[in-house]
Amino acid sequence: SPPATPINFRLEDDRLAWDYPPPPPDLDGFELRRSPGATGNWQTALEMHAGVLAASPFILPVIYNEWTFLLAAIDTSGRFGLDAVNGG
């Protein structure tokens, strides 16, 4: 089954942070994307990093304008969690 959705996705000063329940053995990590404006769309959002993030937090680069950040867990088979969470 796909990995669980990260929880408590939040902006802390210059970084995005989240919590995750005890991970399943096949959790590869997390993917963080950004979408312009006040609402996010995972399918059209822009990836914010190369590869997979191993853990929270993610230090933000300088970003201008309004963005919605989206986060999803990904497993070693390349499956994303059922829900991407919005935050920031």
Side-chain angles (χ1 to χ4, degrees):
S1 63
T5 301
I7 56 175
N8 300 324
F9 187 38
R10 60 203 178 273
L11 179 63
E12 295 178 344
D13 299 318
D14 65 343
R15 64 194 67 211
L16 292 168
W18 59 92
D19 299 318
Y20 198 73
D26 66 342
L27 180 71
D28 195 21
F30 304 92
E31 185 167 306
L32 182 60
R33 298 183 183 186
R34 65 181 178 168
S35 190
T39 59
N41 180 318
W42 182 259
Q43 302 304 322
T44 59
L46 307 169
E47 291 181 35
M48 294 189 62
H49 53 85
V52 175
L53 298 174
S56 173
F58 176 81
I59 297 174
L60 287 168
V62 175
I63 298 174
Y64 299 98
N65 300 320
E66 182 178 21
W67 294 91
T68 297
F69 299 102
L70 302 105
L71 176 72
I74 184 169
D75 66 18
T76 55
S77 297
R79 293 178 300 182
F80 288 99
L82 297 177
D83 297 306
V85 291
N86 292 0

